[in-house]
Amino acid sequence: MAGAPEGVDPSVPNVARMYDYFLDGKDNFAADRAAAEEILKKFPHTKEGARANRDFLRRAVRYLVDAGIEQIVDLGAGLPTQGNTHEIAPQARVVYVDYDSVVCVHGRALLARKENVDFLQADVREPDVLLGKLRGLIDFDKPVAFLMLALLHFIEDEHAYDLVAKLRAASVPGSYLVISHAVDPTPDITPQALEIYKKSTAQLNLRTREDIERFFEGYELAEPGLTFPARWRPDEEKPLGDNITFGYVGVARKL
């Protein structure tokens, strides 16, 4: 990656750029790569898990399109890569949201000539401000899908549940919520991984399956319910990442 934009400290590991590294992307700095490699030492299948999560995104967005959703808000979108939401749902109104200035600069550059697509800089921990900005871009009188992939486990409880509750309250019945969330797979190793993320731009907040299910209150989960990423409506009998069990995903419709 070229030199850091003004105001960006490349010496501090960034979770979006670390995720980019896990996906074999090029938009990351030495500090991001070093932190990501430390995670890989503790969890060797992290890259495979990132890819499984990305594949889930594609299948989930196709499901939303088939369900008639024409507005999608991709929260914590991260750095643009192949198979972006607007590419899977070209007819939909898509708004990407991230708080990271580097992510937003790259996103806007990539989407400069795209119609019906916006990249919004906002902090999801301030849902009222977020919704205020979204109201100029999204018609909340119509169903909207909120994507929250690999996002909520970087937000503390007090902000995470409040965010989802306010998004639910702002959206009409027939709207959707899509979540992927990490769980604690190895309690003896995980504290070491948490220490690595404490030195990055966002700390990791792992939750139990029951904690993750709470986010879907007021929604009806689509089959097969809350499950591992590769097992949510796979395109093939034995999908890539079928052995990844350190995160749950779900797609749900607001009642």
Side-chain angles (χ1 to χ4, degrees), residues 94-117:
V94 176
V95 178
Y96 294 101
V97 179
D98 208 289
Y99 80 104
D100 186 279
S101 57
V102 175
V103 168
C104 292
V105 167
H106 277 262
R108 288 168 183 153
L110 177 71
L111 305 174
R113 298 182 180 179
K114 302 293 183 183
E115 295 183 3
N116 219 28
V117 182

Side-chain angles (χ1 to χ4, degrees), residues 4-83:
E6 184 178 352
V8 175
D9 185 353
S11 67
V12 178
N14 177 283
V15 294
R17 297 193 299 266
M18 288 169 65
Y19 188 67
D20 175 70
Y21 179 78
F22 292 140
L23 291 171
D24 295 325
K26 305 300 182 185
D27 293 309
N28 45 73
F29 296 116
D32 309 314
R33 296 189 286 274
E37 284 295 336
E38 286 298 311
I39 292 295
L40 289 170
K41 289 177 183 177
K42 307 295 186 299
F43 301 104
H45 296 294
T46 299
K47 280 193 174 186
E48 192 175 356
R51 295 188 188 104
N53 190 64
R54 196 70 189 178
D55 288 342
F56 162 70
L57 165 68
R58 297 186 185 103
R59 298 195 304 278
V61 172
R62 289 203 307 263
Y63 177 87
L64 296 174
V65 171
D66 291 343
I69 292 296
E70 298 179 344
Q71 302 183 109
I72 301 174
V73 178
D74 193 337
L75 296 161
L79 289 161
T81 184
Q82 292 185 348

Side-chain angles (χ1 to χ4, degrees), residues 199-216:
K199 300 173 184 176
S200 73
T201 53
Q203 295 185 30
L204 201 57
N205 300 272
L206 299 178
R207 298 183 175 92
T208 65
R209 179 189 174 95
E210 291 71 25
D211 292 333
I212 298 169
E213 286 179 332
R214 281 181 54 198
F215 288 117
F216 292 102

Side-chain angles (χ1 to χ4, degrees), residues 15 75-76 97-100 122-131 148 151-164 166-167 200-203 205 207:
V15 294
L75 296 161
V97 179
D98 208 289
Y99 80 104
D100 186 279
D123 191 333
V124 297
R125 292 168 297 185
E126 300 175 348
D128 293 326
V129 176
L130 169 66
L131 284 167
M148 309 179 80
L151 170 67
L152 290 170
H153 51 237
F154 288 116
I155 305 176
E156 305 88 343
D157 279 355
E158 60 181 297
H159 294 301
Y161 289 104
D162 181 54
L163 166 65
V164 174
K166 288 187 175 179
L167 294 179
S200 73
T201 53
Q203 295 185 30
N205 300 272
R207 298 183 175 92

Side-chain angles (χ1 to χ4, degrees), residues 59 224 227-234 239-245 249:
R59 298 195 304 278
T227 187
F228 302 129
R231 300 180 189 178
W232 195 89
R233 298 175 178 255
L240 175 71
D242 189 53
N243 62 320
I244 301 300
T245 59
V249 304

Side-chain angles (χ1 to χ4, degrees), residues 184-196:
D184 190 345
T186 51
D188 57 328
I189 295 179
T190 300
Q192 301 173 49
L194 296 180
E195 285 301 315
I196 296 171

